[in-house]
Amino acid sequence: MESILERLVQRDPEQQEFHQAVFEVMDTVKPVLERNPEYRQQAIVDRITEPERVIMFRVPWMDDQGQVHVNRGFRVEMNSAIGPYKGGLRFHPSVTLSIIKFLAFEQVFKNSLTTLQMGGGKGGSDFNPKGRSDGEVMRFCQAFMTELSRHIGPNTDVPAGDIGVGAREIGYLFGMYKKLRNEFTGVLTGKSLAWGGSLIRPEATGYGVVYFAAEMLSHHGDSLEDKKCLVSGSGNVAQFTTEKIIQMKGKVLTLSDSSGYIFDEEGIDAEKLSFVKHLKNIRRGRIREYCDQYPQAIYTEAAPELDHNPLWAHQADCAFPSATQNEIHARDADNLAKGGVRLVAEGANMPSTPNAINIFLDSNILYGPSKAANAGGVAVSGLEMAQNSMRLSWPRKEVDKRLRQIMKSIHTTCTDAATEYGLEGNYMAGANIAGFVKVVNAMLDQGLV
Ligand code: NDP
């Protein structure tokens, strides 16, 4: 194993996020490899860490002033052993091949946990939609899809949203795909309700995280009622995590964006959340404006030069990181433990560094890793694909019921897999082992392809 991982680093030394994701999974599946010599004989670790296909392309587009820009587009088709590639598109200036590869790798195991038939992929661009007009975003999406459309399809690869790609971008991307291919198919998920979207899809990741957290607490004889919760981010995942926590009678104290965070000791209730949704989704404003409307709240500017984020130093019971990767460092994890946090459920992908995870596990904090806790989004995307295939639309209650059932089943799968390997209570090991075994067995069934 060590020599395989060494080779992986030597081959792409700059892909640190990808290495981090691979090391985390491979470290926890060592006992599985020991128990199954055929996995080693079939070079499963080499095969599962190498994407089936990496697509990189030029995206030229013109801004409102007539200036031409060139961005880089990516789609990593990581693994199709259990279904067509499935995973979101991220538009953010920090996007690199390493980020997309780490996200695609995580997606493989997450999708495997959902019980649905979806392989893993991820894509995006270093394009920054912030501050761009609707027309500029549309032209960028059209240019991006002009190339991507050759590689995707409802039975091949089905992208969705992620950071910087919401309902508006999915609309422009879908429109261009339809025009280029002259077919109306479920090639993207996260579509608008009027043209093939699923009810509950926008809510699914956030709701799913909270359902998963409620399962973890209930497994330990507790509930979310009256729990003080720290939430980071203020985008799609953070908004619907907050909504579900409120519905389950918990209290959300914080929200953030990349410029800073707000702390509202009285709690963010449904009315305040609806202000945030309007601020972020319609006005595309900054979270600091929350304090103009609710002056009792305190705004703290982001200080990336610090080794910690003061958001995680508030006293609370539960934490829901919902912004981006590696947002919780060792010092933050220490602060969370000292502040009384008993549960961390990850809405964002890989928001905790390896050292932070070790601190959670050593402090007996219930730690719900992203590939299990935030799988509700892709699960409902899978349900959207099923509805598209049948040309049917299930009612809200039906989709929500299925989502809740899937999150419950992921919880059971993780606890059972951890127990089977003598790692009771370790959700990270349980998620990695269960996700890995299903994909690997499918790969072995299908031969050397
Ligand atoms: P959005 O674009 O809707 O929101 C992202 C939020 O995180 C914004 O508040 C943004 O602030 C903040 N953020 C982004 N990058 C940074 C950064 N480098 N530092 C600090 N804050 C940052 O994205 P989503 O809510 O969809 O995604 C959030 C996380 O959840 C991501 O990790 C994503 O991969 C994960 N996820 C999303 C799913 C989905 O269905 N949408 C499914 C599963 C996982 P700002 O506005 O200032 O950029």
Side-chain angles (χ1 to χ4, degrees):
M1 168 83 86
E2 266 65 42
S3 66
I4 299 171
L5 298 180
E6 237 170 65
R7 227 174 25 247
L8 185 115
V9 172
Q10 270 168 11
R11 196 183 258 181
D12 300 298
E14 75 296 350
Q15 294 180 2
Q16 281 158 17
E17 294 84 1
F18 178 55
H19 305 155
Q20 183 183 336
V22 170
F23 289 4
E24 184 218 284
V25 171
M26 292 309 157
D27 196 39
T28 52
V29 300
K30 274 184 190 153
V32 183
L33 295 167
E34 272 158 29
R35 205 184 272 184
N36 296 280
E38 74 275 20
Y39 289 1
R40 274 176 284 150
Q41 198 246 329
Q42 290 290 332
I44 275 302
V45 176
D46 295 85
R47 287 160 67 187
I48 210 164
T49 52
E50 186 65 20
E52 289 179 16
R53 196 171 295 106
V54 173
I55 302 149
M56 279 175 66
F57 49 98
R58 179 175 72 188
V59 189
W61 60 281
M62 193 177 276
D63 70 18
D64 289 344
Q65 284 70 46
Q67 174 75 43
V68 171
H69 300 261
V70 177
N71 284 95
R72 190 170 277 178
F74 302 91
R75 186 73 183 166
V76 172
E77 297 180 334
M78 197 79 199
N79 193 299
S80 61
I82 60 170
Y85 309 105
K86 180 89 196 89
L89 297 171
R90 175 176 291 191
F91 291 169
H92 193 273
S94 65
V95 163
T96 59
L97 183 56
S98 172
I99 300 263
I100 299 298
K101 272 178 79 176
F102 115 65
L103 289 164
F105 184 74
E106 289 283 294
Q107 196 80 43
V108 172
F109 306 105
K110 181 188 311 195
N111 293 2
S112 158
L113 289 172
T114 62
T115 70
L116 305 173
Q117 291 187 331
M118 296 179 289
K122 200 85 187 189
S125 172
D126 56 1
F127 170 70
N128 187 0
K130 233 176 271 168
R132 292 290 172 195
S133 69
D134 283 353
E136 289 172 325
V137 170
M138 181 183 74
R139 288 195 292 282
F140 175 80
C141 288
Q142 292 177 338
F144 184 84
M145 185 51 89
T146 302
E147 175 59 33
L148 188 69
S149 63
R150 304 167 206 271
H151 309 285
I152 62 175
N155 295 309
T156 310
D157 184 353
V158 185
D162 190 76
I163 292 178
V165 179
R168 171 181 64 169
E169 291 75 17
I170 292 290
Y172 295 145
L173 291 164
F174 183 82
M176 195 62 186
Y177 181 88
K178 183 167 61 73
K179 180 183 167 94
L180 290 167
R181 302 291 283 259
N182 192 24
E183 54 182 37
F184 194 113
T185 63
V187 69
L188 292 161
T189 57
K191 301 185 290 295
S192 200
L193 265 186
W195 41 274
S198 174
L199 284 158
I200 300 284
R201 177 58 192 94
E203 296 89 337
T205 307
Y207 279 18
V209 173
V210 183
Y211 290 152
F212 192 83
E215 278 302 314
M216 291 165 84
L217 288 170
S218 132
H219 198 64
H220 291 81
D222 205 347
S223 79
L224 270 167
E225 193 166 342
D226 295 330
K227 295 284 185 295
K228 288 186 185 163
C229 301
L230 305 176
V231 178
S232 64
S234 50
N236 172 275
V237 179
Q239 290 171 19
F240 290 107
T241 294
T242 302
E243 185 163 293
K244 190 49 79 179
I245 293 172
I246 297 169
Q247 286 170 14
M248 290 194 156
K249 303 195 167 33
K251 187 171 174 182
V252 175
L253 302 177
T254 58
L255 284 172
S256 70
D257 59 24
S258 50
S259 312
Y261 79 95
I262 58 105
F263 173 73
D264 186 342
E265 196 163 19
E266 291 172 7
I268 298 164
D269 60 16
E271 184 226 297
K272 293 173 183 171
L273 177 62
S274 120
F275 170 82
V276 172
K277 283 184 183 170
H278 189 265
L279 171 70
K280 283 289 170 183
N281 309 346
I282 313 287
R283 283 171 45 208
R284 299 188 188 274
R286 306 308 294 159
I287 199 65
R288 75 170 74 87
E289 295 167 53
Y290 182 96
C291 298
D292 302 337
Q293 184 77 6
Y294 305 106
Q296 81 285 358
I298 298 162
Y299 176 71
T300 305
E301 196 76 37
E305 70 283 4
L306 294 181
D307 65 349
H308 70 288
N309 178 351
L311 185 157
W312 305 118
H314 292 280
Q315 292 237 321
D317 305 294
C318 304
F320 294 86
S322 312
T324 193
Q325 66 276 352
N326 292 331
E327 54 171 310
I328 300 190
H329 295 269
R331 173 110 186 260
D332 297 310
D334 262 335
N335 287 340
L336 286 166
K338 283 188 199 130
V341 162
R342 173 135 201 264
L343 170 142
V344 176
E346 295 183 336
N349 282 313
M350 204 171 77
S352 312
T353 61
N355 289 339
I357 295 173
N358 289 336
I359 292 169
F360 296 151
L361 297 178
D362 291 346
S363 321
N364 286 326
I365 287 175
L366 292 175
Y367 167 61
S370 53
K371 63 172 75 64
N374 75 19
V378 73
V380 173
S381 276
L383 300 180
E384 182 173 331
M385 288 162 72
Q387 294 170 81
N388 289 166
S389 303
M390 294 185 291
R391 303 209 185 280
L392 279 177
S393 179
W394 294 329
R396 191 181 167 86
K397 221 171 155 182
E398 164 86 20
V399 183
D400 194 35
K401 196 172 113 202
R402 284 176 190 259
L403 168 63
R404 190 145 198 183
Q405 191 51 47
I406 289 171
M407 298 317 294
K408 214 177 161 75
S409 141
I410 296 175
H411 181 272
T412 309
T413 304
C414 293
T415 49
D416 287 356
T419 305
E420 191 186 333
Y421 282 87
L423 296 161
E424 284 84 357
N426 186 335
Y427 287 92
M428 175 177 72
N432 288 342
I433 290 170
F436 180 79
V437 168
K438 182 173 168 190
V439 173
V440 165
N441 287 341
M443 288 170 76
L444 293 182
D445 288 346
Q446 293 167 22
L448 202 50
V449 288

Short mmCIF file of all heavy atoms in Angstrom, two decimals, residues 158-203:
data_model
loop_
_atom_site.label_atom_id
_atom_site.label_comp_id
_atom_site.label_asym_id
_atom_site.label_seq_id
_atom_site.Cartn_x
_atom_site.Cartn_y
_atom_site.Cartn_z
N VAL A 158 -23.83 12.29 -15.73
CA VAL A 158 -24.92 13.23 -15.43
C VAL A 158 -24.45 14.25 -14.38
O VAL A 158 -24.52 13.99 -13.18
CB VAL A 158 -26.17 12.47 -14.91
CG1 VAL A 158 -27.35 13.42 -14.71
CG2 VAL A 158 -26.56 11.36 -15.89
N PRO A 159 -23.96 15.43 -14.81
CA PRO A 159 -23.50 16.43 -13.84
C PRO A 159 -24.66 17.10 -13.07
O PRO A 159 -25.83 16.94 -13.42
CB PRO A 159 -22.78 17.46 -14.71
CG PRO A 159 -22.55 16.81 -16.03
CD PRO A 159 -23.67 15.83 -16.20
N ALA A 160 -24.29 17.86 -12.04
CA ALA A 160 -25.26 18.60 -11.21
C ALA A 160 -24.56 19.86 -10.72
O ALA A 160 -23.51 20.23 -11.25
CB ALA A 160 -25.66 17.70 -10.04
N GLY A 161 -25.12 20.52 -9.71
CA GLY A 161 -24.52 21.75 -9.19
C GLY A 161 -23.52 21.47 -8.07
O GLY A 161 -23.39 20.35 -7.60
N ASP A 162 -22.80 22.49 -7.68
CA ASP A 162 -21.89 22.46 -6.50
C ASP A 162 -21.61 23.95 -6.22
O ASP A 162 -22.41 24.81 -6.63
CB ASP A 162 -20.62 21.66 -6.82
CG ASP A 162 -19.76 21.39 -5.57
OD1 ASP A 162 -20.13 20.52 -4.78
OD2 ASP A 162 -18.73 22.07 -5.38
N ILE A 163 -20.50 24.26 -5.59
CA ILE A 163 -20.19 25.65 -5.30
C ILE A 163 -20.24 26.47 -6.59
O ILE A 163 -19.62 26.10 -7.59
CB ILE A 163 -18.80 25.78 -4.63
CG1 ILE A 163 -18.83 25.17 -3.23
CG2 ILE A 163 -18.36 27.24 -4.56
CD1 ILE A 163 -17.50 25.19 -2.51
N GLY A 164 -20.97 27.57 -6.57
CA GLY A 164 -21.03 28.47 -7.72
C GLY A 164 -21.91 27.99 -8.86
O GLY A 164 -22.05 28.68 -9.87
N VAL A 165 -22.49 26.82 -8.73
CA VAL A 165 -23.41 26.32 -9.77
C VAL A 165 -24.74 25.97 -9.11
O VAL A 165 -24.88 24.95 -8.44
CB VAL A 165 -22.82 25.08 -10.50
CG1 VAL A 165 -23.80 24.56 -11.56
CG2 VAL A 165 -21.48 25.44 -11.16
N GLY A 166 -25.69 26.88 -9.28
CA GLY A 166 -27.03 26.71 -8.71
C GLY A 166 -28.05 26.63 -9.83
O GLY A 166 -27.72 26.34 -10.99
N ALA A 167 -29.31 26.95 -9.49
CA ALA A 167 -30.42 26.81 -10.45
C ALA A 167 -30.16 27.63 -11.73
O ALA A 167 -30.41 27.15 -12.84
CB ALA A 167 -31.71 27.26 -9.79
N ARG A 168 -29.62 28.85 -11.58
CA ARG A 168 -29.40 29.70 -12.76
C ARG A 168 -28.41 29.04 -13.73
O ARG A 168 -28.68 28.93 -14.94
CB ARG A 168 -28.83 31.06 -12.29
CG ARG A 168 -28.37 31.95 -13.41
CD ARG A 168 -27.79 33.28 -12.91
NE ARG A 168 -26.58 33.12 -12.11
CZ ARG A 168 -25.78 34.12 -11.73
NH1 ARG A 168 -26.08 35.36 -12.08
NH2 ARG A 168 -24.71 33.91 -11.02
N GLU A 169 -27.29 28.57 -13.20
CA GLU A 169 -26.26 27.98 -14.06
C GLU A 169 -26.76 26.68 -14.68
O GLU A 169 -26.50 26.42 -15.87
CB GLU A 169 -24.97 27.73 -13.26
CG GLU A 169 -24.23 28.99 -12.81
CD GLU A 169 -24.87 29.72 -11.66
OE1 GLU A 169 -25.72 29.12 -10.96
OE2 GLU A 169 -24.55 30.92 -11.43
N ILE A 170 -27.46 25.85 -13.89
CA ILE A 170 -27.97 24.58 -14.43
C ILE A 170 -28.92 24.88 -15.60
O ILE A 170 -28.91 24.19 -16.62
CB ILE A 170 -28.68 23.75 -13.32
CG1 ILE A 170 -27.67 23.26 -12.28
CG2 ILE A 170 -29.48 22.58 -13.93
CD1 ILE A 170 -26.71 22.18 -12.75
N GLY A 171 -29.72 25.94 -15.48
CA GLY A 171 -30.63 26.32 -16.56
C GLY A 171 -29.88 26.65 -17.84
O GLY A 171 -30.19 26.12 -18.91
N TYR A 172 -28.86 27.48 -17.73
CA TYR A 172 -28.09 27.87 -18.93
C TYR A 172 -27.37 26.65 -19.53
O TYR A 172 -27.28 26.50 -20.76
CB TYR A 172 -27.06 28.95 -18.59
CG TYR A 172 -27.66 30.28 -18.16
CD1 TYR A 172 -27.02 31.08 -17.19
CD2 TYR A 172 -28.85 30.77 -18.71
CE1 TYR A 172 -27.55 32.30 -16.80
CE2 TYR A 172 -29.37 31.99 -18.31
CZ TYR A 172 -28.72 32.75 -17.35
OH TYR A 172 -29.23 33.95 -16.95
N LEU A 173 -26.82 25.80 -18.64
CA LEU A 173 -26.09 24.62 -19.13
C LEU A 173 -27.04 23.67 -19.84
O LEU A 173 -26.74 23.14 -20.92
CB LEU A 173 -25.41 23.89 -17.94
CG LEU A 173 -24.25 24.64 -17.28
CD1 LEU A 173 -23.91 24.04 -15.92
CD2 LEU A 173 -23.00 24.61 -18.17
N PHE A 174 -28.21 23.46 -19.26
CA PHE A 174 -29.19 22.54 -19.85
C PHE A 174 -29.67 23.06 -21.21
O PHE A 174 -29.78 22.31 -22.19
CB PHE A 174 -30.37 22.35 -18.90
CG PHE A 174 -31.40 21.36 -19.40
CD1 PHE A 174 -31.21 20.00 -19.22
CD2 PHE A 174 -32.54 21.78 -20.07
CE1 PHE A 174 -32.14 19.07 -19.69
CE2 PHE A 174 -33.48 20.87 -20.54
CZ PHE A 174 -33.27 19.51 -20.36
N GLY A 175 -29.96 24.36 -21.25
CA GLY A 175 -30.44 24.97 -22.49
C GLY A 175 -29.46 24.75 -23.63
O GLY A 175 -29.83 24.40 -24.76
N MET A 176 -28.17 24.91 -23.35
CA MET A 176 -27.16 24.76 -24.40
C MET A 176 -27.02 23.30 -24.80
O MET A 176 -26.88 23.00 -26.00
CB MET A 176 -25.81 25.31 -23.90
CG MET A 176 -24.82 25.53 -25.01
SD MET A 176 -25.47 26.77 -26.18
CE MET A 176 -24.23 26.73 -27.45
N TYR A 177 -27.09 22.39 -23.82
CA TYR A 177 -26.99 20.95 -24.15
C TYR A 177 -28.13 20.56 -25.08
O TYR A 177 -27.94 19.87 -26.08
CB TYR A 177 -27.04 20.11 -22.86
CG TYR A 177 -26.92 18.63 -23.13
CD1 TYR A 177 -25.68 18.01 -23.20
CD2 TYR A 177 -28.06 17.84 -23.33
CE1 TYR A 177 -25.56 16.65 -23.47
CE2 TYR A 177 -27.95 16.48 -23.60
CZ TYR A 177 -26.70 15.89 -23.67
OH TYR A 177 -26.59 14.55 -23.94
N LYS A 178 -29.33 21.02 -24.74
CA LYS A 178 -30.53 20.69 -25.52
C LYS A 178 -30.39 21.19 -26.96
O LYS A 178 -30.70 20.49 -27.91
CB LYS A 178 -31.75 21.32 -24.83
CG LYS A 178 -33.08 21.01 -25.46
CD LYS A 178 -34.22 21.39 -24.55
CE LYS A 178 -34.24 22.86 -24.23
NZ LYS A 178 -34.67 23.72 -25.34
N LYS A 179 -29.86 22.40 -27.08
CA LYS A 179 -29.71 22.97 -28.43
C LYS A 179 -28.67 22.19 -29.24
O LYS A 179 -28.90 21.86 -30.40
CB LYS A 179 -29.28 24.44 -28.29
CG LYS A 179 -29.10 25.16 -29.61
CD LYS A 179 -28.60 26.58 -29.36
CE LYS A 179 -28.11 27.22 -30.62
NZ LYS A 179 -29.14 28.01 -31.29
N LEU A 180 -27.53 21.89 -28.60
CA LEU A 180 -26.46 21.20 -29.33
C LEU A 180 -26.85 19.78 -29.73
O LEU A 180 -26.51 19.32 -30.81
CB LEU A 180 -25.20 21.15 -28.47
CG LEU A 180 -24.50 22.48 -28.24
CD1 LEU A 180 -23.46 22.34 -27.12
CD2 LEU A 180 -23.81 22.95 -29.51
N ARG A 181 -27.55 19.06 -28.85
CA ARG A 181 -27.83 17.64 -29.09
C ARG A 181 -29.22 17.41 -29.66
O ARG A 181 -29.55 16.29 -30.02
CB ARG A 181 -27.68 16.85 -27.79
CG ARG A 181 -26.30 16.98 -27.17
CD ARG A 181 -25.25 16.26 -28.02
NE ARG A 181 -25.37 14.84 -27.79
CZ ARG A 181 -24.57 14.14 -27.01
NH1 ARG A 181 -23.55 14.74 -26.42
NH2 ARG A 181 -24.75 12.85 -26.84
N ASN A 182 -30.03 18.44 -29.65
CA ASN A 182 -31.42 18.33 -30.11
C ASN A 182 -32.15 17.20 -29.40
O ASN A 182 -32.84 16.41 -30.02
CB ASN A 182 -31.48 18.15 -31.64
CG ASN A 182 -32.89 18.34 -32.17
OD1 ASN A 182 -33.70 19.02 -31.51
ND2 ASN A 182 -33.21 17.75 -33.30
N GLU A 183 -31.96 17.14 -28.08
CA GLU A 183 -32.72 16.16 -27.30
C GLU A 183 -32.97 16.69 -25.89
O GLU A 183 -32.11 17.35 -25.30
CB GLU A 183 -32.03 14.78 -27.27
CG GLU A 183 -30.61 14.80 -26.81
CD GLU A 183 -29.95 13.41 -26.85
OE1 GLU A 183 -30.25 12.64 -27.77
OE2 GLU A 183 -29.15 13.13 -25.95
N PHE A 184 -34.16 16.40 -25.40
CA PHE A 184 -34.56 16.84 -24.05
C PHE A 184 -34.44 15.63 -23.13
O PHE A 184 -35.30 14.75 -23.14
CB PHE A 184 -36.02 17.33 -24.09
CG PHE A 184 -36.43 18.11 -22.88
CD1 PHE A 184 -36.72 19.46 -22.95
CD2 PHE A 184 -36.52 17.48 -21.64
CE1 PHE A 184 -37.11 20.17 -21.82
CE2 PHE A 184 -36.91 18.19 -20.51
CZ PHE A 184 -37.20 19.53 -20.59
N THR A 185 -33.33 15.53 -22.41
CA THR A 185 -33.13 14.35 -21.56
C THR A 185 -32.67 14.79 -20.18
O THR A 185 -32.28 15.94 -19.98
CB THR A 185 -32.03 13.43 -22.12
OG1 THR A 185 -30.81 14.19 -22.10
CG2 THR A 185 -32.31 12.98 -23.52
N GLY A 186 -32.68 13.83 -19.26
CA GLY A 186 -32.22 14.14 -17.90
C GLY A 186 -30.71 14.10 -17.81
O GLY A 186 -30.14 13.34 -17.03
N VAL A 187 -30.03 14.97 -18.58
CA VAL A 187 -28.57 14.94 -18.63
C VAL A 187 -27.93 15.71 -17.46
O VAL A 187 -26.75 15.55 -17.18
CB VAL A 187 -28.08 15.49 -19.98
CG1 VAL A 187 -28.38 17.00 -20.06
CG2 VAL A 187 -26.61 15.22 -20.20
N LEU A 188 -28.72 16.57 -16.82
CA LEU A 188 -28.23 17.29 -15.64
C LEU A 188 -29.28 17.11 -14.55
O LEU A 188 -30.48 16.98 -14.86
CB LEU A 188 -28.11 18.79 -15.93
CG LEU A 188 -27.03 19.24 -16.91
CD1 LEU A 188 -27.33 20.63 -17.43
CD2 LEU A 188 -25.66 19.24 -16.24
N THR A 189 -28.85 17.14 -13.29
CA THR A 189 -29.86 17.20 -12.21
C THR A 189 -29.72 18.53 -11.50
O THR A 189 -28.75 19.26 -11.68
CB THR A 189 -29.71 16.02 -11.23
OG1 THR A 189 -28.38 16.04 -10.70
CG2 THR A 189 -29.98 14.69 -11.91
N GLY A 190 -30.78 18.83 -10.68
CA GLY A 190 -30.84 20.15 -10.08
C GLY A 190 -31.59 21.09 -11.01
O GLY A 190 -31.48 22.31 -10.93
N LYS A 191 -32.38 20.50 -11.93
CA LYS A 191 -33.12 21.31 -12.91
C LYS A 191 -34.31 21.98 -12.21
O LYS A 191 -34.75 21.57 -11.14
CB LYS A 191 -33.64 20.41 -14.06
CG LYS A 191 -32.52 19.70 -14.82
CD LYS A 191 -33.02 18.92 -16.03
CE LYS A 191 -33.84 17.70 -15.68
NZ LYS A 191 -33.10 16.66 -14.97
N SER A 192 -34.86 22.98 -12.90
CA SER A 192 -36.03 23.66 -12.36
C SER A 192 -37.24 22.72 -12.46
O SER A 192 -37.30 21.88 -13.36
CB SER A 192 -36.26 24.92 -13.20
OG SER A 192 -37.04 25.80 -12.49
N LEU A 193 -38.16 22.90 -11.51
CA LEU A 193 -39.33 22.00 -11.44
C LEU A 193 -40.12 21.93 -12.73
O LEU A 193 -40.62 20.88 -13.11
CB LEU A 193 -40.29 22.53 -10.37
CG LEU A 193 -40.17 21.96 -8.98
CD1 LEU A 193 -41.29 22.52 -8.13
CD2 LEU A 193 -40.22 20.44 -9.04
N ALA A 194 -40.23 23.07 -13.41
CA ALA A 194 -41.08 23.15 -14.60
C ALA A 194 -40.52 22.34 -15.76
O ALA A 194 -41.23 22.02 -16.70
CB ALA A 194 -41.24 24.61 -15.03
N TRP A 195 -39.22 22.01 -15.74
CA TRP A 195 -38.64 21.28 -16.88
C TRP A 195 -37.77 20.11 -16.44
O TRP A 195 -36.68 19.91 -16.90
CB TRP A 195 -37.93 22.21 -17.86
CG TRP A 195 -37.11 23.31 -17.26
CD1 TRP A 195 -37.56 24.55 -16.88
CD2 TRP A 195 -35.71 23.29 -16.97
NE1 TRP A 195 -36.52 25.30 -16.37
CE2 TRP A 195 -35.38 24.55 -16.42
CE3 TRP A 195 -34.70 22.34 -17.11
CZ2 TRP A 195 -34.08 24.88 -16.02
CZ3 TRP A 195 -33.41 22.67 -16.71
CH2 TRP A 195 -33.11 23.92 -16.18
N GLY A 196 -38.35 19.31 -15.52
CA GLY A 196 -37.72 18.02 -15.23
C GLY A 196 -37.02 17.90 -13.89
O GLY A 196 -36.46 16.86 -13.58
N GLY A 197 -37.05 18.97 -13.10
CA GLY A 197 -36.42 18.91 -11.78
C GLY A 197 -37.26 18.11 -10.79
O GLY A 197 -38.42 17.79 -11.07
N SER A 198 -36.65 17.78 -9.67
CA SER A 198 -37.37 17.03 -8.63
C SER A 198 -37.66 17.94 -7.46
O SER A 198 -36.81 18.75 -7.06
CB SER A 198 -36.52 15.86 -8.14
OG SER A 198 -37.16 15.24 -7.05
N LEU A 199 -38.85 17.77 -6.87
CA LEU A 199 -39.12 18.44 -5.61
C LEU A 199 -38.10 17.95 -4.60
O LEU A 199 -37.60 16.82 -4.70
CB LEU A 199 -40.54 18.09 -5.14
CG LEU A 199 -41.64 18.84 -5.92
CD1 LEU A 199 -42.97 18.11 -5.83
CD2 LEU A 199 -41.79 20.26 -5.41
N ILE A 200 -37.74 18.83 -3.66
CA ILE A 200 -36.78 18.53 -2.58
C ILE A 200 -35.32 18.49 -3.05
O ILE A 200 -34.42 18.42 -2.23
CB ILE A 200 -37.13 17.20 -1.82
CG1 ILE A 200 -38.51 17.28 -1.18
CG2 ILE A 200 -36.15 16.82 -0.72
CD1 ILE A 200 -38.61 18.12 0.07
N ARG A 201 -35.02 18.59 -4.36
CA ARG A 201 -33.60 18.54 -4.76
C ARG A 201 -32.82 19.71 -4.17
O ARG A 201 -31.73 19.52 -3.62
CB ARG A 201 -33.42 18.46 -6.29
CG ARG A 201 -31.93 18.50 -6.72
CD ARG A 201 -31.11 17.38 -6.09
NE ARG A 201 -29.66 17.50 -6.23
CZ ARG A 201 -28.84 18.04 -5.35
NH1 ARG A 201 -29.30 18.58 -4.23
NH2 ARG A 201 -27.55 18.06 -5.54
N PRO A 202 -33.36 20.97 -4.25
CA PRO A 202 -32.56 22.06 -3.68
C PRO A 202 -32.31 21.86 -2.17
O PRO A 202 -31.25 22.20 -1.66
CB PRO A 202 -33.43 23.31 -3.91
CG PRO A 202 -34.40 22.92 -4.99
CD PRO A 202 -34.61 21.45 -4.87
N GLU A 203 -33.29 21.28 -1.49
CA GLU A 203 -33.17 21.12 -0.03
C GLU A 203 -32.33 19.91 0.36
O GLU A 203 -31.89 19.77 1.50
CB GLU A 203 -34.58 20.90 0.59
CG GLU A 203 -35.55 22.06 0.47
CD GLU A 203 -36.40 22.01 -0.83
OE1 GLU A 203 -35.95 21.38 -1.81
OE2 GLU A 203 -37.48 22.61 -0.85
#
